[in-house]
């Protein structure tokens, strides 16, 4: 018998009950007692093990993106971008790479309705021949803040009141009144697309700016965009109440049912690229996640398509234990100085080590599908079988060597150590442009949602005035309409 063949796959389950250590269990119905009535004996190891495992079935839910649904499929390159990147999985049209995708709501708990107004997470794990690549994003192309220093405070403000555990608008409006950079994100969140009809009918975005590196070492900033072929659909308030009241897991069910029926959802992947040599030509900072890159100036370039054609086998294993980290990249794709991305590089992997343990990358959905080798070993829940005697590097007893060098951006860093805001904030131009791009009925719905949030009784006159001032700077007519309905004057 090969002792390593039978774990951890349940496909090798015994035909009879056993303990975790494999000992046969002849009675899984009754506790070991003194006589037929008891008391129960502590020596009933099977009972203790069964209860102890049950007590520990739940791991800490994610602080954000707790409510999610996953599916598996493939990504196929359709357009040649080998001039921009040496990433192996993008090497030529026709190349296919297995993927697993997790969609999610951001703020609310794991059991919350999927009809709540909230950004949606859109995370894709590519199992490439050079290791995994995690493209972690949202359904909106921008974010509330541009510096990860504010992230814990932002989430605290969006989460329920710590005293009452009720999500309250006054806390949200108060926090973001200090951050006019958030206006652009609110033009998405309070727009109709703030409540997607389901996961199939929404676009996705990598949000952060990454760097593509060619085999010659030339770097380009890049943004990734997923465009659904199912069409973008949303739920208005009345529809969301009906759908959510019928099934609080409607989006998960829709995704599962569609794949089971052979109606495979598909997204097209597009990129936008900027040569770093020309990044100063814009009136915004290209690394600022509160900004979009105008498509009339920086057009979308098609790259490939993603098809989800297989449902997950187990929710816990392939959703709750599925872990994404923006730090996980492959040769040919690298980070940028995007301040939010730089903090996410640390924060996401740190979160997974807390939730799942230091060896979370050994778990099947997170482990690379290519051969890998390092000296990371032992620690909590390490189930890697190893029989090597050398666990250090270098060694004349182990022929392992460095991989072939691949190009990385060689940028020279200059500047003072300082904590400052970026020079080109330009917080109001793009929110105004997006508002003006809406038709009048859509503008009216946006205004109603903003007025509703600012009408919370605990939102002060000062906070309302600040918000009206911000929106007036984005669009004068929008500011006037808000001022009239809220009976305030802008605090310029």
């Amino acid at each position: 018998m090969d002792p390593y063949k039978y774990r951890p796959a349940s496909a090798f389950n015994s035909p009879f009950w056993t303990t975790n250590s494999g000992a046969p269990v002849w009675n899984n119905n009754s506790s070991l007692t003194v006589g037929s009535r008891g008391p129960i004996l502590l020596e009933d190891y099977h009972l203790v093990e069964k209860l102890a495992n049950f007590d520990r079935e739940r791991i800490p839910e994610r602080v954000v993106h707790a409510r999610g649904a996953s599916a598996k499929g493939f990504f196929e390159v359709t357009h040649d971008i080998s001039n921009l990147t040496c990433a192996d999985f993008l090497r030529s049209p026709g190349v296919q790479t297995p993927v697993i995708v997790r969609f999610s709501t951001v703020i609310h708990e794991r059991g919350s309705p999927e009809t709540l107004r909230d950004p949606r997470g859109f995370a894709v794990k590519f199992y490439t021949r050079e290791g995994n690549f995690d493209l972690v994003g949202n359904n909106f192309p921008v974010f509330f803040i541009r510096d990860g220093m504010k992230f814990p405070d932002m989430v605290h403000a969006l989460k329920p009141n710590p005293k009452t555990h009720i999500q309250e608008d006054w806390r949200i409006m108060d926090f973001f009144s200090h951050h006019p950079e958030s206006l652009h994100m609110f033009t998405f969140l309070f727009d109709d697309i703030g409540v997607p009809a389901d996961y199939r009918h929404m676009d996705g975005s990598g949000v952060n700016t990454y760097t593509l590196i060619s085999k010659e070492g030339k770097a380009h900033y890049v943004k990734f965009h997923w465009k659904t072929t199912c069409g973008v659909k949303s739920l208005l308030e009345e529809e969301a109440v009906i759908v959510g009241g019928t099934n609080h897991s409607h989006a998960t069910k829709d995704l599962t049912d569609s794949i089971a029926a052979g109606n495979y959802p598909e997204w097209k992947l597009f990129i936008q690229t900027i040569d770093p040599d020309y990044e100063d030509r814009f009136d915004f900072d290209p690394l600022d996640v509160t900004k979009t890159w105008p498509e009339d100036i920086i057009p979308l370039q098609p790259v490939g398509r993603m098809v989800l054609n297989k449902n997950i086998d187990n929710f816990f294993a392939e959703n709750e234990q599925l872990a994404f980290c923006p730090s996980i990249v492959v040769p040919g794709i690298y980070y940028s100085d995007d301040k939010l991305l730089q903090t996410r590089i640390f924060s996401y992997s740190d979160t997974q080590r807390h939730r799942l343990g230091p060896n979370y990358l050994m778990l099947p959905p997170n482990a690379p599908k290519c051969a890998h080798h390092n000296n990371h070993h032992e620690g909590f829940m390490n189930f890697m079988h190893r029989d090597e005697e050398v666990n250090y590097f270098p060694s004349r007893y182990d022929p392992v060597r460095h991989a072939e060098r691949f190009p990385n951006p060689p940028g020279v860093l200059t500047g003072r150590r300082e904590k400052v805001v970026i020079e080109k904030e330009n917080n109001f131009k793009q929110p105004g442009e997006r508002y003006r791009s809406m038709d009048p009925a859509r503008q009216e719905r946006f205004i109603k949602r903003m007025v509703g949030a600012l009408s919370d009784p605990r939102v002060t006159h000062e906070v309302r005035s600040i918000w009206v001032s911000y929106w007036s700077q984005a669009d004068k007519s929008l500011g006037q309409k808000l001022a009239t309905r809220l009976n305030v004057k802008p605090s310029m």
Side-chain angles (χ1 to χ4, degrees):
M1 181 186 74
D2 181 353
Y4 303 106
K5 178 180 179 181
Y6 299 98
R7 285 295 174 190
S10 61
F12 299 113
N13 275 352
S14 164
F16 51 80
W17 280 125
T18 73
T19 64
N20 281 346
S21 60
V25 173
W26 69 271
N27 187 337
N28 193 34
N29 296 317
S30 303
S31 303
L32 184 64
T33 59
V34 179
S36 62
R37 299 186 62 214
I40 292 173
L41 294 176
L42 186 61
E43 70 183 63
D44 188 347
Y45 172 77
H46 172 56
L47 170 68
V48 172
E49 180 184 81
K50 187 175 181 180
L51 293 177
N53 275 269
F54 175 76
D55 292 343
R56 292 162 175 79
E57 281 183 357
R58 299 294 179 265
I59 61 176
E61 77 170 27
R62 294 167 170 87
V63 177
V64 287
H65 299 276
R67 169 63 126 140
S70 302
K72 295 182 281 190
F74 65 88
F75 172 77
E76 180 181 20
V77 179
T78 57
H79 292 74
D80 186 5
I81 60 167
S82 59
N83 62 312
L84 294 171
T85 177
C86 60
D88 177 73
F89 80 103
L90 298 173
R91 62 189 179 274
S92 63
V95 173
Q96 289 191 355
T97 301
V99 299
I100 187 168
V101 179
R102 187 175 188 270
F103 305 104
S104 57
T105 58
V106 176
I107 293 300
H108 305 283
E109 295 90 342
R110 192 173 71 179
S112 58
E114 292 178 307
T115 49
L116 298 178
R117 186 169 298 276
D118 197 14
R120 268 46 174 184
F122 195 124
V124 183
K125 188 183 294 289
F126 299 80
Y127 297 109
T128 88
R129 302 193 306 184
E130 295 181 307
N132 293 349
F133 169 46
D134 287 0
L135 182 55
V136 187
N138 291 332
N139 64 321
F140 303 149
V142 294
F143 201 60
F144 292 103
I145 54 173
R146 63 171 68 97
D147 191 320
M149 176 68 82
K150 302 175 184 177
F151 192 84
D153 296 293
M154 180 202 76
V155 173
H156 287 169
L158 290 165
K159 286 281 191 180
N161 185 321
K163 181 177 180 179
T164 63
H165 200 66
I166 298 172
Q167 188 182 35
E168 295 169 321
D169 285 333
W170 69 267
R171 291 163 41 81
I172 299 170
M173 295 293 99
D174 173 38
F175 175 78
F176 288 111
S177 72
H178 297 275
H179 303 295
E181 68 207 62
S182 67
L183 262 67
H184 201 185
M185 182 66 165
F186 277 103
T187 65
F188 288 88
L189 182 62
F190 280 11
D191 186 16
D192 293 348
I193 60 174
V195 184
D198 50 60
Y199 296 131
R200 290 185 301 129
H201 293 94
M202 69 179 194
D203 290 338
S205 172
V207 182
N208 293 113
T209 300
Y210 286 85
T211 306
L212 294 181
I213 308 143
S214 70
K215 59 180 179 293
E216 294 81 20
K218 174 59 180 174
H220 285 85
Y221 292 143
V222 63
K223 280 187 178 288
F224 297 96
H225 302 279
W226 297 105
K227 302 292 184 182
T228 176
T229 62
C230 297
V232 173
K233 296 182 182 178
S234 306
L235 297 176
L236 299 183
E237 280 74 1
E238 299 79 6
E239 297 170 313
V241 169
I242 295 171
V243 171
T246 304
N247 181 0
H248 80 299
S249 299
H250 81 284
T252 297
K253 186 176 188 303
D254 174 83
L255 181 67
T256 303
D257 290 352
S258 297
I259 294 174
N263 182 21
Y264 303 140
E266 181 176 334
W267 286 262
K268 305 290 187 183
L269 178 64
F270 295 85
I271 59 172
Q272 291 175 288
T273 61
I274 292 177
D275 189 326
D277 293 340
Y278 305 111
E279 63 177 307
D280 292 332
R281 294 186 175 186
F282 306 98
D283 62 1
F284 61 92
D285 189 330
L287 306 187
D288 178 357
V289 295
T290 69
K291 304 293 186 292
T292 55
W293 294 358
E295 294 178 16
D296 58 338
I297 302 174
I298 309 158
L300 295 174
Q301 303 177 54
V303 178
R305 68 187 188 111
M306 179 174 68
V307 179
L308 300 183
N309 58 6
K310 189 177 188 303
N311 281 313
I312 57 175
D313 299 313
N314 180 270
F315 179 82
F316 180 75
E318 295 180 295
N319 187 288
E320 292 304 286
Q321 288 191 318
L322 180 59
F324 293 89
C325 306
S327 50
I328 296 179
V329 295
V330 292
I333 301 175
Y334 200 66
Y335 322 119
S336 74
D337 292 339
D338 172 342
K339 287 189 176 185
L340 189 68
L341 176 59
Q342 289 284 315
T343 51
R344 294 176 81 203
I345 289 169
F346 162 77
S347 181
Y348 275 62
S349 54
D350 185 57
T351 291
Q352 308 303 357
R353 293 185 187 104
H354 166 67
R355 286 188 63 247
L356 302 173
N359 291 302
Y360 74 95
L361 288 174
M362 288 186 181
L363 294 169
N366 305 323
K369 307 311 176 192
C370 60
H372 55 290
H373 187 152
N374 58 52
N375 288 326
H376 303 161
H377 66 113
E378 302 178 2
F380 288 110
M381 303 303 291
N382 189 317
F383 55 82
M384 178 73 69
H385 170 62
R386 306 186 72 133
D387 60 5
E388 302 94 340
E389 293 184 281
V390 174
N391 59 354
Y392 49 86
F393 178 85
S395 169
R396 291 182 173 84
Y397 296 91
D398 185 348
V400 68
R401 64 186 189 280
H402 288 121
E404 296 297 322
R405 184 171 182 176
F406 53 87
N408 262 341
V412 178
L413 303 179
T414 59
R416 297 175 298 179
R417 291 196 300 263
E418 53 190 349
K419 292 193 172 190
V420 294
V421 177
I422 62 173
E423 294 180 2
K424 297 180 181 179
E425 287 194 78
N426 205 348
N427 293 321
F428 305 108
K429 179 182 178 182
Q430 290 193 3
E433 291 173 342
R434 176 164 172 78
Y435 171 77
R436 288 187 292 273
S437 72
M438 302 176 188
D439 62 57
R442 196 165 177 172
Q443 288 180 347
E444 176 62 21
R445 290 192 293 271
F446 172 80
I447 291 170
K448 282 185 176 180
R449 293 170 191 133
M450 183 55 64
V451 169
L454 290 170
S455 296
D456 185 308
R458 292 186 66 179
V459 174
T460 65
H461 183 81
E462 177 190 14
V463 171
R464 289 193 187 102
S465 298
I466 291 171
W467 275 101
V468 170
S469 171
Y470 286 164
W471 288 117
S472 296
Q473 293 176 73
D475 183 88
K476 187 174 181 180
S477 67
L478 171 58
Q480 290 173 340
K481 291 175 181 177
L482 289 172
T484 299
R485 299 191 193 190
L486 293 167
N487 194 27
V488 297
K489 293 182 179 180
S491 176
M492 301 296 288

